């Protein structure tokens, strides 16, 4: 099973490497918070309009504090300080430009798939929010077209 997990992780990493990434982050929460709270915070964060794609995985420090590694792709790098502000309120944040030669994806996913808390979305996939807007726009166009035929 180790070989299978290792192969799976390598395949995921190779696929993710085909995309553009802007930042590598490490976030250590200020306090011990539950996995449910982390999941809720990350769901809100990953719905931010500036994010195109993300990879994150939760670990624990030696003292038991939740600790996240993240790789982000953003829509407007010149506005990325807004994302920094959100995350820095949650804990100690190290925010660096992504350097593909420093193995940020491998480092972020070193616990994958053994880690029980992770999420990823390559930058080319639409978020739920964008899919919903696209669906509503198509629905309105269809209603207009049907109305024109009646």
């Amino acid at each position: 099973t180790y070989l299978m997990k290792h192969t799976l992780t390598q395949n995921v990493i190779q696929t993710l490497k085909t995309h553009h990434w802007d930042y590598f982050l490490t976030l250590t929460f200020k306090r011990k918070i539950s996995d449910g709270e982390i999941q809720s915070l990350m769901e809100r964060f990953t719905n931010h309009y500036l994010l195109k794609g993300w990879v994150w995985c939760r670990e624990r420090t030696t003292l038991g504090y939740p600790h996240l590694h993240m790789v982000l792709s953003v829509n407007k790098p010149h506005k990325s300080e807004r994302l920094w502000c959100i995350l820095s309120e949650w804990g100690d944040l190290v925010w660096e430009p992504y350097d593909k030669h420093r193995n940020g994806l491998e480092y972020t996913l070193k616990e994958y798939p053994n880690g029980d808390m992770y999420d990823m979305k390559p930058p080319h996939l639409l978020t739920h929010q964008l899919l919903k807007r696209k669906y509503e726009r198509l629905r309105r166009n269809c209603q207009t077209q049907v109305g024109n035929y009646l």
Side-chain angles (χ1 to χ4, degrees):
T1 55
Y2 169 76
L3 184 58
M4 196 167 74
K5 288 179 184 175
H6 180 70
T7 302
L8 170 66
T9 302
Q10 289 307 311
N11 288 339
V12 167
I13 288 168
Q14 289 310 312
T15 300
L16 291 170
K17 280 185 170 183
T18 64
H19 301 286
H20 172 79
W21 300 99
D22 296 297
Y23 301 103
F24 173 78
L25 296 78
T26 300
L27 171 66
T28 304
F29 289 92
K30 295 177 183 176
R31 59 185 175 82
K32 293 181 183 178
I33 64 174
S34 71
D35 287 349
E37 200 173 348
I38 292 171
Q39 193 69 46
S40 177
L41 288 170
M42 292 308 294
E43 283 174 10
R44 283 196 338 246
F45 178 73
T46 55
N47 275 318
H48 197 284
Y49 78 97
L50 287 174
L51 283 178
K52 285 194 308 190
W54 59 85
V55 178
W56 66 266
C57 193
R58 193 259 299 131
E59 300 174 1
R60 296 214 182 267
T61 66
T62 53
L63 297 175
Y65 289 88
H67 179 80
L68 301 179
H69 294 292
M70 287 183 246
V71 176
L72 303 178
S73 178
V74 298
N75 288 315
K76 300 175 182 178
H78 65 282
K79 292 187 175 184
S80 59
E81 74 276 355
R82 293 177 185 181
L83 298 171
W84 182 89
C85 288
I86 293 168
L87 293 174
S88 64
E89 287 181 10
W90 300 349
D92 297 326
L93 180 64
V94 177
W95 178 286
E96 302 173 1
Y98 183 77
D99 179 352
K100 64 182 178 181
H101 303 293
R102 294 187 62 200
N103 298 322
L105 286 166
E106 288 87 346
Y107 194 77
T108 299
L109 292 173
K110 66 182 179 267
E111 296 294 322
Y112 174 83
N114 299 331
D116 55 353
M117 287 202 65
Y118 56 85
D119 189 25
M120 58 188 82
K121 185 194 89 59
H124 73 286
L125 295 178
L126 294 175
T127 62
H128 172 73
Q129 197 174 37
L130 290 175
L131 284 172
K132 187 176 175 183
R133 274 191 250 149
K134 198 172 193 177
Y135 167 77
E136 289 299 324
R137 199 171 27 242
L138 284 170
R139 193 172 63 76
R140 282 193 305 273
N141 288 343
C142 287
Q143 286 174 342
T144 301
Q145 289 174 4
V146 168
N148 290 340
Y149 289 113
L150 294 178

